[in-house]
Amino acid sequence: MTGQPILSLSDVSWSYEEGQAPVLRQLHLQLQAGEAVGVVGRSGSGKTTLLLTLAGLIPANYAGSFAGQRLAAGEIGIVFQDPETQFIGLTVEEEIAFSLENKGYSDQQIERRIEEVLQLVGLQGFEARSPFELSGGEKQRVAIASALAVSPQILILDEPTSELDPKGAAEVFQLLHRLRREEKMTIVVSSHATEELARFCDRVVLLSEGDLRLDLPTASFFQQIGLLEQEGIFVPDMIKLHHWLTEQGQLQAEPTSLTVEEMIAAFQRMEEQRRGRHERLNHSL
Amino acid sequence: MSDSIIRFEKVSFHYKAEQPVLKQIDLSIRSGEFIALIGGNGSGKTTLAKHCNGLYKPTDGAVYVEGRDTREVSVAELSRIVSYCYQNPDHQIFQSTIGEEVAFGPSNLGLAKAEIEERVTQALEAVGLLPYREEEPYFVSKGTRQKIAVASILAMKPRVIVLDEPTTGLDHRGVMEMMALIQSLHRQGHTILAITHDMRLVAEYAQRVLVLHKGEIVCDGEPRHVFAQTNALSLAQVEPPAVSRFAQALGLTPLPLTLAELQDRLVKELT
């Protein structure tokens, strides 16, 4: 992808306290409009700090030492790991209205926008419900709706599914797929759920002790199996299986299978080729 | 069964009569088993688990721990046999040092000081936190807080350890460390009942899987058998691990559970 990035960090370093070891070190990262970028790394590797910096909350709202340059060409919404920590409204409606009121929207605009974003996240009819009484997946969708209310071009999510059960996690990722497809949203998401990231992202970056160790298209990223495992990152079994079949001389390395469905298709192609070889062999005998 | 340590007999439980959470559950947990309890949200997993040491009492039917009805024995007494480890370690951590936290349970058993001391040392050693005994339990990672919670339980020397989502919110290395710890406790003779949503862990570690759906056990067996029951699993909103789904599509039986098993099978198929 080319063109002006919608968001970029150039040579960015950050320490929470002057003189302490930097949590981010001389980091370069560019996002193009419409991209979905995954952020992986161990707990404590600096993922949350990176996302806060991309969102501009660091250095604006934090004391510490910032170096480098950040450029943003669009409005940004951010969603945290535990949605309850960001809820302030007693109802879903109030929760979403909050950011709009702060931006000076009229009552009529607020009403319309609430309806629009609730429809977008699939929670129509939830206006009067307490956000605290919802399921985990619904809570996180309310948090996403609040972030979307002010019509950001970029959505940043910090481990949005780590406290959710599989159903809640699937709801959140389905919504992210939809926001990409229908709203052309630029999305940055950190997660330990690498199977979901492999399915969702165009590109994935690896953070390790504040360094950006890898920044690659998703398939190439997950082919770095040795490095990722050394860094304590879970490489999905289907990616490892494809890699192993390639080593056995059974499959081409590309296109890499990232999901069970892709692995089944690759395996079927492989079997057809094997049958073809057998038939040719039989024929020539 | 004679060696059953926990027995559920037609156990039903409800908060509101019209909404039963558990329905007529019959279950026998045998000494030394490693059981995974799985199922969708609201299927009754935590409610079932909390019946194992009397935290909840059945509305109908009875739960027996070592042959004693849980309604007739105090939770404190039962917790010597069956200990429950909460999903969120912060719900059970409240002392000012890690050592004191782990000593809290055994202190309440009225044990001699030397015995408490020995149990704390052993428990902290088992989870790899002995050097951190004097540290505060709050400002450490979630993985470490989870280990403190497990150590607190070990100090009670229970025969059965019930763990409610012990790996939720941990990174991959944290998950592997926690599972290695649980596996070593199992090898030392503890009976394990673990609630989890991570089907790879179920496939790799559990000997027996209970699938709960709307308060009923809809599948009960070895992981290999359970993960082949695709209809029951999809009803219970459970997706088998990627390896098993792939193997199922290829029609491989018996079903491989781990990548290593799958590779072994493919080597045979491809040669």
Side-chain angles (χ1 to χ4, degrees), chain B residues 35-108:
Chain B
I35 302 178
L37 179 55
I38 65 176
N41 225 3
S43 57
K45 300 186 297 295
T46 297
T47 306
L48 188 152
K50 285 187 173 173
H51 274 80
C52 291
N53 72 341
L55 282 171
Y56 288 177
K57 319 281 187 197
T59 320
D60 273 309
V63 177
Y64 299 94
V65 173
E66 288 186 339
R68 293 188 294 174
D69 190 325
T70 57
R71 273 175 299 212
E72 288 157 16
V73 193
S74 71
V75 175
E77 183 71 14
L78 286 169
S79 66
R80 292 167 182 245
I81 308 163
V82 185
S83 281
Y84 184 90
C85 193
Y86 285 84
Q87 182 177 349
N88 185 341
D90 300 337
H91 288 172
Q92 65 188 76
I93 292 176
F94 56 96
Q95 298 287 326
S96 56
T97 70
I98 292 175
E100 284 170 27
E101 183 61 42
V102 177
F104 182 79
S107 310
N108 285 344

Coordinates of all heavy atoms in Angstrom, one line a residue, chain B residues 35-108:
Chain B
I35 N -10.1 -33.6 35.1 CA -11.4 -33.4 34.4 C -11.5 -31.9 33.9 O -11.2 -31.0 34.7 CB -12.6 -33.7 35.3 CG1 -12.5 -35.1 35.8 CG2 -13.9 -33.4 34.5 CD1 -13.7 -35.5 36.7
A36 N -11.8 -31.8 32.7 CA -12.1 -30.4 32.1 C -13.7 -30.3 32.1 O -14.4 -31.2 31.6 CB -11.5 -30.2 30.8
L37 N -14.1 -29.1 32.6 CA -15.6 -28.8 32.5 C -15.8 -27.7 31.5 O -15.2 -26.6 31.7 CB -16.0 -28.4 34.0 CG -17.5 -28.0 34.2 CD1 -18.4 -29.2 33.8 CD2 -17.7 -27.8 35.7
I38 N -16.5 -28.0 30.4 CA -16.6 -27.0 29.4 C -18.1 -26.8 29.0 O -19.0 -27.6 29.4 CB -15.8 -27.4 28.1 CG1 -16.4 -28.7 27.5 CG2 -14.3 -27.6 28.4 CD1 -15.7 -29.1 26.1
G39 N -18.3 -25.7 28.3 CA -19.7 -25.4 27.9 C -19.8 -23.9 27.7 O -18.9 -23.1 28.1
G40 N -20.9 -23.5 27.1 CA -21.1 -22.0 26.8 C -21.3 -21.2 28.0 O -21.5 -21.7 29.1
N41 N -21.4 -19.9 27.8 CA -21.8 -19.0 28.8 C -23.1 -19.3 29.4 O -24.1 -19.6 28.7 CB -21.9 -17.6 28.2 CG -21.2 -16.6 29.1 OD1 -20.6 -16.9 30.1 ND2 -21.2 -15.3 28.6
G42 N -23.2 -19.4 30.8 CA -24.5 -19.6 31.4 C -25.0 -21.1 31.3 O -26.1 -21.4 31.6
S43 N -24.0 -22.0 31.0 CA -24.4 -23.4 30.9 C -24.5 -24.0 32.3 O -25.0 -25.1 32.5 CB -23.4 -24.2 30.0 OG -22.1 -24.0 30.5
G44 N -23.9 -23.4 33.3 CA -23.9 -23.9 34.7 C -22.6 -24.4 35.2 O -22.6 -25.0 36.3
K45 N -21.5 -24.1 34.5 CA -20.2 -24.6 34.8 C -19.8 -24.2 36.2 O -19.4 -25.0 37.1 CB -19.1 -24.2 33.8 CG -19.3 -24.6 32.4 CD -18.1 -24.2 31.5 CE -17.9 -22.7 31.4 NZ -18.9 -21.9 30.8
T46 N -19.8 -22.9 36.5 CA -19.3 -22.4 37.8 C -20.3 -22.9 38.9 O -19.8 -23.3 40.0 CB -19.2 -20.9 37.8 OG1 -18.2 -20.5 36.8 CG2 -18.8 -20.3 39.1
T47 N -21.6 -22.9 38.6 CA -22.5 -23.4 39.6 C -22.2 -24.9 40.0 O -22.2 -25.2 41.2 CB -24.0 -23.2 39.1 OG1 -24.1 -21.9 38.7 CG2 -25.0 -23.6 40.1
L48 N -22.0 -25.7 39.0 CA -21.6 -27.1 39.2 C -20.4 -27.2 40.1 O -20.3 -27.9 41.1 CB -21.5 -27.8 37.9 CG -21.4 -29.4 38.0 CD1 -21.9 -30.0 36.8 CD2 -19.9 -29.8 38.3
A49 N -19.4 -26.4 39.7 CA -18.1 -26.5 40.3 C -18.2 -26.1 41.8 O -17.6 -26.6 42.7 CB -17.0 -25.6 39.6
K50 N -19.0 -25.0 42.1 CA -19.2 -24.6 43.4 C -20.0 -25.5 44.3 O -20.0 -25.4 45.5 CB -19.8 -23.2 43.4 CG -18.8 -22.1 43.0 CD -19.4 -20.7 43.2 CE -18.2 -19.7 42.9 NZ -18.8 -18.3 42.8
H51 N -20.6 -26.5 43.7 CA -21.3 -27.6 44.5 C -20.3 -28.6 45.0 O -20.6 -29.3 46.0 CB -22.3 -28.3 43.7 CG -23.7 -27.6 43.7 ND1 -24.0 -26.6 42.9 CD2 -24.8 -27.9 44.4 CE1 -25.2 -26.2 43.1 NE2 -25.7 -27.0 44.0
C52 N -19.1 -28.6 44.4 CA -18.1 -29.6 44.8 C -17.5 -29.5 46.2 O -17.1 -30.5 46.8 CB -16.9 -29.7 43.8 SG -17.5 -30.3 42.2
N53 N -17.5 -28.3 46.7 CA -17.0 -28.2 48.1 C -18.0 -27.4 49.0 O -17.7 -26.8 50.0 CB -15.7 -27.5 48.2 CG -15.7 -26.0 47.9 OD1 -16.7 -25.5 47.3 ND2 -14.7 -25.2 48.3
G54 N -19.3 -27.5 48.6 CA -20.4 -27.0 49.5 C -20.5 -25.5 49.5 O -21.3 -24.9 50.2
L55 N -19.8 -24.8 48.6 CA -20.1 -23.3 48.4 C -21.5 -23.1 48.1 O -22.1 -22.1 48.5 CB -19.1 -22.7 47.4 CG -17.7 -22.5 47.8 CD1 -16.8 -22.1 46.6 CD2 -17.6 -21.4 48.9
Y56 N -22.0 -24.0 47.2 CA -23.5 -24.0 46.9 C -24.0 -25.3 47.3 O -23.3 -26.4 47.2 CB -23.7 -23.8 45.4 CG -23.5 -22.5 44.8 CD1 -23.6 -22.3 43.4 CD2 -23.1 -21.4 45.6 CE1 -23.4 -21.0 42.9 CE2 -22.9 -20.1 45.0 CZ -23.0 -20.0 43.7 OH -22.8 -18.7 43.1
K57 N -25.3 -25.4 47.8 CA -25.9 -26.6 48.2 C -27.0 -26.9 47.2 O -27.7 -25.9 46.8 CB -26.5 -26.5 49.6 CG -25.7 -25.8 50.6 CD -24.6 -26.7 51.1 CE -23.9 -25.9 52.3 NZ -22.6 -26.5 52.6
P58 N -27.3 -28.1 46.8 CA -28.3 -28.4 45.8 C -29.7 -28.0 46.3 O -30.0 -28.1 47.5 CB -28.2 -29.9 45.7 CG -27.1 -30.4 46.5 CD -26.6 -29.3 47.3
T59 N -30.5 -27.6 45.4 CA -31.9 -27.3 45.7 C -32.7 -28.7 45.9 O -33.5 -28.8 46.7 CB -32.6 -26.5 44.6 OG1 -31.7 -25.5 44.2 CG2 -33.8 -25.8 45.1
D60 N -32.3 -29.6 45.0 CA -32.8 -31.0 45.1 C -31.6 -31.9 44.9 O -30.7 -31.6 44.2 CB -33.8 -31.2 43.9 CG -35.2 -30.8 44.3 OD1 -35.6 -31.2 45.4 OD2 -35.8 -30.0 43.6
G61 N -31.8 -33.2 45.3 CA -30.7 -34.1 45.2 C -29.6 -33.9 46.2 O -29.8 -33.1 47.2
A62 N -28.5 -34.5 46.1 CA -27.4 -34.4 47.1 C -26.0 -34.5 46.5 O -25.9 -35.2 45.4 CB -27.6 -35.4 48.2
V63 N -25.1 -33.8 47.1 CA -23.7 -34.0 46.7 C -22.9 -34.6 47.9 O -23.1 -34.1 49.0 CB -23.0 -32.6 46.4 CG1 -21.5 -32.8 46.0 CG2 -23.7 -31.9 45.2
Y64 N -22.2 -35.6 47.6 CA -21.4 -36.3 48.7 C -19.9 -36.1 48.4 O -19.4 -36.4 47.3 CB -21.7 -37.8 48.7 CG -23.2 -38.1 49.0 CD1 -24.1 -38.3 47.9 CD2 -23.6 -38.1 50.3 CE1 -25.4 -38.5 48.2 CE2 -25.0 -38.4 50.6 CZ -25.9 -38.5 49.5 OH -27.2 -38.8 49.8
V65 N -19.2 -35.7 49.4 CA -17.7 -35.6 49.3 C -17.2 -36.6 50.3 O -17.5 -36.5 51.5 CB -17.3 -34.1 49.7 CG1 -15.7 -34.1 49.7 CG2 -17.8 -33.1 48.6
E66 N -16.4 -37.5 49.8 CA -15.9 -38.6 50.6 C -17.1 -39.3 51.4 O -16.9 -39.6 52.5 CB -14.8 -38.2 51.6 CG -13.5 -37.9 50.8 CD -12.3 -37.6 51.8 OE1 -12.6 -37.2 53.0 OE2 -11.2 -37.7 51.4
G67 N -18.2 -39.4 50.7 CA -19.3 -40.0 51.3 C -20.2 -39.2 52.2 O -21.3 -39.6 52.7
R68 N -19.8 -37.9 52.5 CA -20.6 -37.1 53.4 C -21.4 -36.1 52.6 O -20.9 -35.4 51.7 CB -19.6 -36.4 54.4 CG -19.0 -37.4 55.4 CD -18.2 -36.7 56.5 NE -17.1 -36.0 56.0 CZ -16.4 -35.2 56.8 NH1 -16.7 -35.0 58.0 NH2 -15.3 -34.6 56.3
D69 N -22.6 -35.9 53.0 CA -23.5 -35.0 52.4 C -23.1 -33.6 52.6 O -22.9 -33.2 53.8 CB -24.9 -35.2 53.0 CG -26.0 -34.4 52.2 OD1 -25.7 -33.3 51.7 OD2 -27.1 -35.0 52.1
T70 N -22.9 -32.8 51.6 CA -22.3 -31.4 51.7 C -23.2 -30.5 52.6 O -22.8 -29.5 53.1 CB -22.0 -30.7 50.4 OG1 -23.2 -30.7 49.6 CG2 -20.9 -31.5 49.6
R71 N -24.5 -30.9 52.7 CA -25.4 -30.0 53.5 C -25.1 -30.2 55.0 O -25.6 -29.4 55.8 CB -26.8 -30.4 53.2 CG -27.4 -29.5 52.0 CD -28.7 -30.0 51.6 NE -28.7 -31.4 51.2 CZ -29.5 -31.9 50.3 NH1 -30.4 -31.1 49.7 NH2 -29.4 -33.1 50.0
E72 N -24.4 -31.3 55.3 CA -24.3 -31.7 56.7 C -22.8 -31.4 57.2 O -22.5 -31.7 58.4 CB -24.6 -33.1 57.0 CG -26.1 -33.3 56.9 CD -26.5 -34.8 56.5 OE1 -25.6 -35.7 56.7 OE2 -27.7 -35.0 56.1
V73 N -22.0 -30.8 56.3 CA -20.6 -30.5 56.7 C -20.3 -29.1 56.4 O -20.8 -28.5 55.4 CB -19.6 -31.4 55.9 CG1 -18.2 -31.4 56.6 CG2 -20.1 -32.9 55.9
S74 N -19.5 -28.4 57.2 CA -19.3 -27.0 57.0 C -18.3 -26.8 55.8 O -17.5 -27.7 55.5 CB -18.6 -26.3 58.2 OG -17.3 -26.8 58.4
V75 N -18.4 -25.6 55.1 CA -17.5 -25.4 54.0 C -16.1 -25.4 54.4 O -15.2 -26.0 53.7 CB -17.8 -24.0 53.3 CG1 -16.9 -23.7 52.2 CG2 -19.3 -24.0 52.8
A76 N -15.8 -24.9 55.6 CA -14.4 -24.9 56.1 C -13.9 -26.4 56.2 O -12.8 -26.7 55.8 CB -14.3 -24.3 57.5
E77 N -14.7 -27.2 56.7 CA -14.4 -28.7 56.8 C -14.1 -29.3 55.4 O -13.2 -30.0 55.2 CB -15.5 -29.4 57.6 CG -15.2 -30.9 57.9 CD -14.2 -31.1 58.9 OE1 -13.8 -30.1 59.7 OE2 -13.7 -32.2 59.0
L78 N -15.1 -29.0 54.5 CA -15.0 -29.5 53.2 C -13.8 -29.0 52.4 O -13.2 -29.7 51.6 CB -16.3 -29.2 52.4 CG -17.5 -30.0 52.8 CD1 -18.7 -29.3 52.1 CD2 -17.4 -31.4 52.4
S79 N -13.4 -27.7 52.7 CA -12.3 -27.2 52.0 C -10.9 -27.9 52.3 O -9.9 -27.6 51.6 CB -12.2 -25.7 52.2 OG -11.8 -25.4 53.5
R80 N -10.9 -28.7 53.3 CA -9.7 -29.5 53.5 C -9.6 -30.6 52.5 O -8.5 -31.1 52.2 CB -9.7 -30.2 54.9 CG -9.6 -29.3 56.1 CD -10.0 -30.1 57.3 NE -10.0 -29.3 58.5 CZ -9.2 -29.5 59.5 NH1 -8.3 -30.5 59.5 NH2 -9.2 -28.7 60.6
I81 N -10.7 -30.9 51.9 CA -10.7 -32.0 50.9 C -10.8 -31.5 49.5 O -10.1 -31.9 48.6 CB -12.0 -32.9 51.2 CG1 -12.0 -33.4 52.6 CG2 -11.9 -34.1 50.2 CD1 -13.3 -34.0 53.1
V82 N -11.7 -30.5 49.3 CA -11.9 -29.9 48.0 C -11.7 -28.4 48.1 O -12.5 -27.7 48.8 CB -13.3 -30.2 47.5 CG1 -13.5 -29.6 46.0 CG2 -13.7 -31.6 47.6
S83 N -10.7 -27.8 47.4 CA -10.5 -26.4 47.4 C -10.9 -25.8 46.0 O -10.6 -26.4 45.0 CB -9.1 -26.0 47.7 OG -8.9 -26.2 49.1
Y84 N -11.5 -24.6 46.1 CA -12.0 -23.9 44.9 C -11.1 -22.7 44.6 O -10.9 -21.8 45.5 CB -13.4 -23.5 45.2 CG -14.1 -22.9 44.0 CD1 -14.8 -23.6 43.1 CD2 -14.0 -21.5 43.8 CE1 -15.4 -23.1 42.0 CE2 -14.6 -20.9 42.7 CZ -15.3 -21.7 41.8 OH -15.9 -21.1 40.7
C85 N -10.6 -22.6 43.4 CA -9.7 -21.5 43.0 C -10.5 -20.6 42.1 O -10.9 -21.0 41.0 CB -8.5 -22.0 42.3 SG -7.2 -20.8 42.1
Y86 N -10.8 -19.3 42.5 CA -11.7 -18.4 41.8 C -11.1 -18.0 40.5 O -9.8 -18.0 40.3 CB -11.9 -17.2 42.6 CG -12.9 -17.4 43.7 CD1 -12.5 -17.9 45.0 CD2 -14.3 -17.2 43.6 CE1 -13.4 -18.2 46.0 CE2 -15.2 -17.4 44.6 CZ -14.7 -18.0 45.8 OH -15.6 -18.2 46.8
Q87 N -12.0 -17.6 39.5 CA -11.6 -17.2 38.2 C -10.7 -16.0 38.3 O -9.7 -15.8 37.6 CB -12.8 -16.9 37.4 CG -12.6 -16.5 36.0 CD -13.9 -16.3 35.3 OE1 -15.0 -16.6 35.8 NE2 -13.8 -15.7 34.1
N88 N -11.1 -15.0 39.1 CA -10.3 -13.8 39.3 C -9.5 -13.9 40.6 O -10.1 -13.8 41.6 CB -11.3 -12.6 39.3 CG -10.5 -11.3 39.3 OD1 -9.3 -11.3 39.6 ND2 -11.2 -10.2 38.9
P89 N -8.2 -14.0 40.5 CA -7.4 -14.2 41.7 C -7.6 -13.1 42.7 O -7.5 -13.3 43.9 CB -6.0 -14.2 41.2 CG -5.9 -13.7 39.9 CD -7.3 -13.9 39.3
D90 N -8.0 -11.9 42.2 CA -8.2 -10.7 43.1 C -9.4 -10.9 44.0 O -9.5 -10.2 45.1 CB -8.3 -9.4 42.3 CG -7.1 -9.2 41.5 OD1 -6.0 -9.7 41.8 OD2 -7.2 -8.5 40.5
H91 N -10.3 -11.9 43.7 CA -11.4 -12.1 44.6 C -11.0 -12.9 45.8 O -11.8 -13.1 46.7 CB -12.5 -12.9 43.8 CG -13.2 -12.1 42.8 ND1 -14.1 -12.7 41.9 CD2 -13.1 -10.8 42.5 CE1 -14.5 -11.7 41.1 NE2 -14.0 -10.6 41.5
Q92 N -9.8 -13.5 45.8 CA -9.4 -14.2 47.0 C -8.1 -13.7 47.7 O -7.8 -14.2 48.7 CB -9.3 -15.7 46.7 CG -8.2 -16.1 45.7 CD -8.4 -17.6 45.3 OE1 -9.2 -18.0 44.5 NE2 -7.5 -18.5 45.9
I93 N -7.5 -12.7 47.1 CA -6.2 -12.2 47.6 C -6.5 -11.0 48.5 O -7.1 -10.1 48.0 CB -5.2 -11.9 46.5 CG1 -4.8 -13.2 45.8 CG2 -4.0 -11.1 47.1 CD1 -3.8 -13.0 44.6
F94 N -6.1 -11.0 49.8 CA -6.4 -9.9 50.6 C -5.4 -9.6 51.7 O -5.5 -8.7 52.5 CB -7.8 -9.9 51.2 CG -8.1 -11.2 52.0 CD1 -7.9 -11.2 53.4 CD2 -8.5 -12.4 51.4 CE1 -8.2 -12.3 54.1 CE2 -8.7 -13.5 52.1 CZ -8.5 -13.5 53.5
Q95 N -4.3 -10.4 51.8 CA -3.3 -10.2 52.8 C -2.2 -9.3 52.3 O -2.1 -9.0 51.1 CB -2.7 -11.6 53.3 CG -3.8 -12.5 53.9 CD -4.2 -12.1 55.2 OE1 -3.4 -11.6 56.0 NE2 -5.5 -12.3 55.6
S96 N -1.3 -8.9 53.2 CA -0.3 -7.8 52.8 C 1.0 -8.4 52.3 O 1.7 -7.7 51.6 CB 0.0 -6.9 54.0 OG 0.4 -7.6 55.1
T97 N 1.3 -9.7 52.5 CA 2.4 -10.3 51.8 C 2.0 -11.6 51.2 O 1.0 -12.2 51.6 CB 3.6 -10.6 52.8 OG1 3.2 -11.7 53.6 CG2 4.1 -9.4 53.6
I98 N 2.7 -12.1 50.3 CA 2.4 -13.3 49.6 C 2.4 -14.5 50.6 O 1.5 -15.3 50.6 CB 3.4 -13.6 48.4 CG1 3.1 -12.5 47.3 CG2 3.3 -15.0 47.8 CD1 4.1 -12.5 46.1
G99 N 3.4 -14.5 51.5 CA 3.5 -15.5 52.5 C 2.2 -15.6 53.4 O 1.7 -16.6 53.7
E100 N 1.8 -14.4 53.9 CA 0.6 -14.3 54.8 C -0.6 -14.8 54.0 O -1.5 -15.4 54.6 CB 0.4 -12.9 55.2 CG 1.4 -12.4 56.3 CD 1.3 -10.9 56.6 OE1 0.2 -10.4 56.4 OE2 2.3 -10.3 57.0
E101 N -0.7 -14.4 52.7 CA -1.8 -14.8 51.9 C -2.0 -16.4 51.9 O -3.0 -16.9 52.1 CB -1.6 -14.3 50.5 CG -2.8 -14.6 49.6 CD -4.1 -13.9 50.0 OE1 -4.1 -12.8 50.5 OE2 -5.1 -14.6 49.9
V102 N -0.8 -17.0 51.7 CA -0.8 -18.5 51.6 C -1.1 -19.1 52.9 O -1.7 -20.2 53.1 CB 0.5 -19.0 50.9 CG1 0.6 -20.5 50.9 CG2 0.6 -18.4 49.5
A103 N -0.6 -18.4 54.0 CA -0.8 -19.0 55.4 C -2.2 -18.9 55.9 O -2.6 -19.5 56.8 CB 0.2 -18.2 56.3
F104 N -3.0 -18.0 55.3 CA -4.3 -17.7 55.8 C -5.2 -18.9 56.0 O -5.8 -19.2 57.0 CB -5.0 -16.7 54.9 CG -6.4 -16.3 55.4 CD1 -6.5 -15.4 56.5 CD2 -7.5 -16.8 54.9 CE1 -7.8 -15.0 57.0 CE2 -8.8 -16.5 55.4 CZ -8.9 -15.6 56.4
G105 N -5.3 -19.7 54.9 CA -6.1 -20.9 55.0 C -5.7 -21.9 56.1 O -6.5 -22.2 57.0
P106 N -4.4 -22.4 56.0 CA -4.0 -23.3 57.1 C -4.1 -22.7 58.5 O -4.4 -23.5 59.4 CB -2.5 -23.6 56.7 CG -2.2 -22.9 55.5 CD -3.4 -22.2 55.0
S107 N -3.9 -21.4 58.7 CA -4.1 -20.8 60.0 C -5.5 -21.0 60.5 O -5.7 -21.3 61.7 CB -3.9 -19.3 60.0 OG -2.7 -19.0 59.3
N108 N -6.5 -21.0 59.6 CA -7.8 -21.2 60.0 C -8.2 -22.6 60.3 O -9.3 -22.9 60.8 CB -8.8 -20.7 59.0 CG -8.8 -19.2 59.0 OD1 -8.4 -18.5 60.0 ND2 -9.3 -18.6 57.9

